[in-house]
């Protein structure tokens, strides 16, 4: 199937994501398919982060923050990602959110995959190659997001913080997301994280790309009993 046909297929389909408790996520079925897709998506997400890092042309807001913290802490980039993930998970407690299996694996695998990729991927000297890494990293990031979100094993720590704040405060999802990402971007930049054209491109491209890829990779599952009952009423 051609890239154009894939894009049309993604735009034509709807991502049928169901709100599920952690137990419902485990019992929903298609376990082998969903688990393999989840792990592949999380590993690819870490690879995409390493690609953007090696491009040296700018990072997404959270990675600007991770890089800024790394500058002052002296540990690996992936270690900062993992520690930050678990700190963010602590913020879920007052929001009364429960992490799913995907949330926990997200907190660990992405950081490990990023460090593993950074060990074998050098920063190119050629500007064209750096742009290739950046653009390839953004596309790979969107595919990875579609894979792991589409497995329906729960949101990542940062996405869960966003949706939890939206649910508890009533503030629009867009405003919550913008506020969080601007905050971590500014803090990361002040700490020494790289902000560049890649940061702007990521902000512009990631939404439309995820909109294409998420419906492609969303695993179709039966609606939870509570959701089905609500629909019937």
């Amino acid at each position: 199937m051609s890239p154009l046909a894939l894009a049309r297929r993604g735009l034509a389909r709807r991502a049928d994501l169901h709100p599920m408790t952690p137990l419902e996520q485990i019992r929903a079925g298609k376990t082998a398919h969903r688990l393999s897709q989840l792990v592949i998506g999380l590993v690819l997400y870490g690879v995409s982060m390493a690609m953007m890092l090696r491009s040296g042309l700018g990072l997404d807001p959270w990675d600007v923050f991770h890089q800024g913290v790394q500058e002052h802490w002296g540990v690996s980039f992936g270690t900062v990602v993992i520690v930050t993930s678990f700190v963010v998970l602590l913020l879920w407690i007052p929001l009364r959110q429960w992490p799913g299996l995907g949330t926990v694996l997200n907190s660990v695998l992405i950081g490990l995959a990023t460090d593993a990729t950074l060990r074998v991927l050098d920063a190119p000297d050629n500007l064209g190659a750096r742009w290739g890494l950046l653009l390839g990293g953004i596309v790979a990031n969107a595919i990875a997001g579609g894979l792991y979100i589409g497995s329906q094993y729960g949101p990542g720590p940062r996405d869960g913080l966003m949706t939890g704040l939206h649910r508890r405060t009533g503030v629009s999802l867009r405003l919550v997301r913008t506020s969080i990402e601007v905050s971590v971007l500014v803090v990361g930049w002040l700490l020494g994280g790289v902000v560049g054209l890649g940061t702007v491109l990521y902000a512009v491209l990631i939404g439309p790309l995820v909109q294409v890829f998420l419906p492609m990779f969303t695993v179709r599952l039966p609606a939870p009993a509570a959701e089905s009952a609500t629909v019937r009423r």
Side-chain angles (χ1 to χ4, degrees), residues 2-226:
S2 69
L4 180 58
L6 281 172
R8 287 173 176 168
R9 179 185 171 194
L11 289 171
R13 295 178 63 186
R14 184 167 58 93
D16 295 323
L17 298 171
H18 300 297
M20 294 186 284
T21 66
L23 188 57
E24 287 172 338
Q25 293 164 14
I26 294 171
R27 291 176 172 175
K30 301 184 180 179
T31 303
H33 177 180
R34 292 167 62 213
L35 273 178
S36 59
Q37 180 172 311
L38 171 65
V39 172
I40 291 169
L42 294 175
V43 170
L44 180 60
Y45 202 97
V47 171
S48 72
M49 287 167 58
M51 291 170 67
M52 290 186 283
L53 270 165
R54 288 298 190 228
S55 77
L57 295 171
L59 302 167
D60 70 90
W62 274 104
D63 283 345
V64 172
F65 174 79
H66 296 145
Q67 190 179 47
V69 172
Q70 184 194 18
E71 289 290 319
H72 295 270
W73 193 3
V75 297
S76 72
F77 187 88
T79 299
V80 177
V81 173
I82 293 170
V83 171
T84 301
S85 296
F86 282 101
V87 171
V88 171
L89 277 179
L90 293 176
L91 300 177
W92 284 32
I93 296 173
L95 299 176
R96 298 180 183 176
Q97 290 211 145
W98 288 95
L101 176 62
T103 311
V104 177
L105 290 180
N106 181 301
S107 302
V108 178
L109 287 185
I110 289 178
L112 295 177
T114 304
D115 275 351
T117 306
L118 289 172
R119 282 194 288 270
V120 299
L121 181 64
D122 294 326
D125 296 324
N126 182 277
L127 183 59
R130 291 169 61 197
W131 274 104
L133 274 181
L134 173 66
L135 295 175
I138 293 173
V139 173
N141 191 272
I143 294 172
L147 284 167
Y148 89 75
I149 295 170
S151 72
Q152 305 213 50
Y153 271 119
R158 296 153 188 80
D159 290 334
L161 175 64
M162 174 185 67
T163 55
L165 285 170
H166 161 66
R167 191 185 69 253
R168 297 289 292 178
T169 65
V171 177
S172 74
L173 200 58
R174 179 178 298 180
L175 181 57
V176 171
R177 176 170 183 165
T178 301
S179 300
I180 292 173
E181 295 200 347
V182 169
S183 297
V184 297
L185 177 66
V186 171
V187 172
W189 176 70
L190 290 173
L191 290 173
V194 175
V195 177
L197 286 175
T199 309
V200 177
L201 278 177
Y202 185 91
V204 171
L205 295 176
I206 196 63
L209 286 171
V210 171
Q211 185 178 354
V212 170
F213 291 119
L214 181 56
M216 290 184 193
F217 297 120
T218 297
V219 181
R220 283 352 188 223
L221 297 172

